Amino acid sequence: MKTAEKLIFVYGTLKRGCSNHHFLAEQRFVGEARTAPGFRLYELGGYPGMVAKTDDPDGVTGEIWAVDPAALVRLDALEGLSEGVYRRELVPLLAPFADQRIEGYFYNRSVEHRRDLGGEWRG
Ligand code: PCA
């Protein structure tokens, strides 16, 4: 991996075939991944938000991408980090990524009254 690259876990519109995937166009696909149990997706209006949920048994399915610093800036802007919509934080993942420090975008607002999508978003 190039030194400046950072691994990111994506589970929603950034995945291959999904509406925001072009933000990862010049980036490198590393593999499919699943979080540890304790995380769940909620429907936010055409896109999902991941939140921690202690009694979740399954975790969330997604993809790992190696992104360069400029792309990461664009992703953070897309996900509204500075407005507090999402926050980028370490995600506990299952093998083969379990021992790696990989971040993903957690929804940063209430999911009360949002539909529970379980562990996978299909777009
Ligand atoms: N885009 C980011 C977070 C939620 C979304 O739709 C992603 O794909 O991981």
Side-chain angles (χ1 to χ4, degrees):
M1 183 158 97
K2 289 179 221 147
T3 49
E5 276 184 341
K6 190 169 174 117
L7 296 181
I8 294 288
F9 172 76
V10 304
Y11 57 85
T13 57
L14 291 169
K15 290 191 296 185
R16 292 169 298 178
C18 297
S19 61
N20 283 325
H21 182 64
H22 57 278
F23 281 84
L24 292 173
E26 305 296 314
Q27 310 308 307
R28 189 166 56 84
F29 176 73
V30 175
E32 293 177 350
R34 191 169 186 87
T35 73
F39 301 94
R40 226 162 162 87
L41 300 180
Y42 290 84
E43 172 59 43
L44 301 178
Y47 58 96
M50 180 171 71
V51 301
K53 188 166 189 274
T54 37
D55 64 353
D56 165 73
D58 299 322
V60 167
T61 299
E63 301 172 358
I64 305 297
W65 285 78
V67 302
D68 62 45
L72 192 57
V73 168
R74 292 192 292 270
L75 292 180
D76 287 352
L78 172 72
E79 306 302 349
L81 256 64
S82 57
E83 295 88 52
V85 183
Y86 289 84
R87 62 181 194 280
R88 178 159 49 78
E89 224 170 59
L90 289 176
V91 191
L93 295 164
L94 302 182
F97 301 106
D99 56 349
Q100 298 192 44
R101 294 175 62 81
I102 298 178
E103 295 179 342
Y105 293 98
F106 286 83
Y107 189 55
N108 205 32
R109 294 179 173 167
S110 170
V111 291
E112 205 184 345
H113 309 306
R114 300 291 194 177
R115 189 157 60 93
D116 184 336
L117 298 174
E120 186 165 14
W121 185 77
R122 292 174 191 277

